[in-house]
Amino acid sequence: TQLLEQSPQFLSIQEGENLTVYCNSSSVFSSLQWYRQEPGEGPVLLVTVVTGGEVKKLKRLTFQFGDARKDSSLHITAAQPGDTGLYLCAGVRFNKFYFGSGTKLNVKP
Amino acid sequence: KAGVTQTPRYLIKTRGQQVTLSCSPISGHRSVSWYQQTPGQGLQFLFEYFSETQRNKGNFPGRFSGRQFSNSRSEMNVSTLELGDSALYLCASSWLEGGTDTQYFGPGTRLTVL
């Protein structure tokens, strides 16, 4: 069983639509990170959230850390084909990284 | 500055064989972590080395082992390969140990066990 549950697993949308990816757990994390991975490459860090309730924005991407530091969400506004990829959340707990299973996003032009 | 490099990029082995994968971290980084990525289980932590010492270990059998050299380069070894070991093996480096610092991932080694 994964410590971090990510949903949805797959998402196929049209360019211009909005979407939200969720990352949930019953465990508390000291920080949570979001990565994007493209085929043939390793994950690339997008953001780190540390404080409960923290919200960070990266252009059209908005990341939120839950108040209790057990969950997080990633919201993309007006998705573009360049957003296509595998999105992974990762929580840090006792100096170990625990990754969610990932959300495969496909944005069609 | 060069990124994290992993060699080889692709590897095909048969059951029962052993394999060694190599990871060169970003210059100056002293922490190297290894992960296994499969479609079914996602990304799972194998172990972390910092200054040549294993600092953390995931829930993998003893067939999976690693080491780190004085120049921070790391190797991972899998003995007595099983079909289920087919996966993308990723390494990540960082300045600091544990989850206290940004990890930079390499492109991975795709291992296929036949």
Side-chain angles (χ1 to χ4, degrees):
Chain A
T1 313
Q2 298 272 128
L3 198 61
L4 273 168
E5 296 292 334
Q6 242 182 282
S7 62
Q9 283 190 337
F10 302 96
L11 203 48
S12 184
I13 60 172
Q14 291 293 138
E15 182 177 359
E17 291 184 16
N18 301 333
L19 67 113
T20 302
V21 177
Y22 299 94
C23 182
N24 296 305
S25 178
S26 57
S27 300
V28 176
F29 296 96
S30 55
S31 67
L32 197 134
Q33 302 180 335
W34 285 92
Y35 293 80
R36 189 173 88 187
Q37 184 178 18
E38 299 190 27
E41 298 179 14
V44 174
L45 180 67
L46 296 173
V47 77
T48 300
V49 284
V50 178
T51 308
E54 183 176 1
V55 177
K56 279 192 175 179
K57 290 194 175 185
L58 187 67
K59 296 182 182 177
R60 294 174 294 99
L61 278 60
T62 302
F63 306 85
Q64 184 161 8
F65 201 11
D67 291 341
R69 291 186 290 132
K70 293 181 180 182
D71 53 78
S72 181
S73 64
L74 156 61
H75 182 79
I76 301 179
T77 304
Q80 298 177 0
D83 295 327
T84 292
L86 177 68
Y87 288 82
L88 295 157
C89 64
V92 178
R93 184 173 165 81
F94 301 116
N95 288 342
K96 283 187 187 179
F97 281 90
Y98 295 90
F99 279 81
S101 52
T103 294
K104 195 168 274 189
L105 172 64
N106 179 35
V107 183
K108 296 175 281 189
Chain B
K1 191 184 269 191
V4 177
T5 57
Q6 291 187 245
T7 56
R9 291 293 310 275
Y10 302 93
L11 207 46
I12 299 176
K13 292 284 187 178
T14 56
R15 277 183 302 174
Q17 288 187 307
Q18 76 163 18
V19 67
T20 299
L21 312 181
S22 180
C23 172
S24 292
I26 291 173
S27 177
H29 284 191
R30 292 161 65 192
S31 170
V32 173
S33 296
W34 287 90
Y35 295 86
Q36 181 194 67
Q37 187 174 31
T38 59
Q41 297 296 317
L43 243 160
Q44 293 195 296
F45 172 74
L46 279 154
F47 29 65
E48 180 202 3
Y49 286 87
F50 183 83
S51 294
E52 303 178 64
T53 304
Q54 189 180 89
R55 298 302 181 107
N56 259 312
K57 192 176 188 312
N59 296 326
F60 278 81
R63 299 186 297 108
F64 292 81
S65 63
R67 59 177 176 168
Q68 187 179 33
F69 302 96
S70 58
N71 62 358
S72 293
R73 189 177 71 84
S74 178
E75 287 182 347
M76 191 192 94
N77 185 275
V78 188
S79 62
T80 320
L81 284 166
E82 301 177 359
L83 295 179
D85 297 333
S86 293
L88 180 67
Y89 289 89
L90 293 158
C91 86
S93 77
S94 59
W95 288 101
L96 304 173
E97 66 175 300
T100 57
D101 193 17
T102 299
Q103 293 187 108
Y104 296 88
F105 282 85
T109 294
R110 172 76 61 187
L111 171 65
T112 301
V113 181
L114 303 175

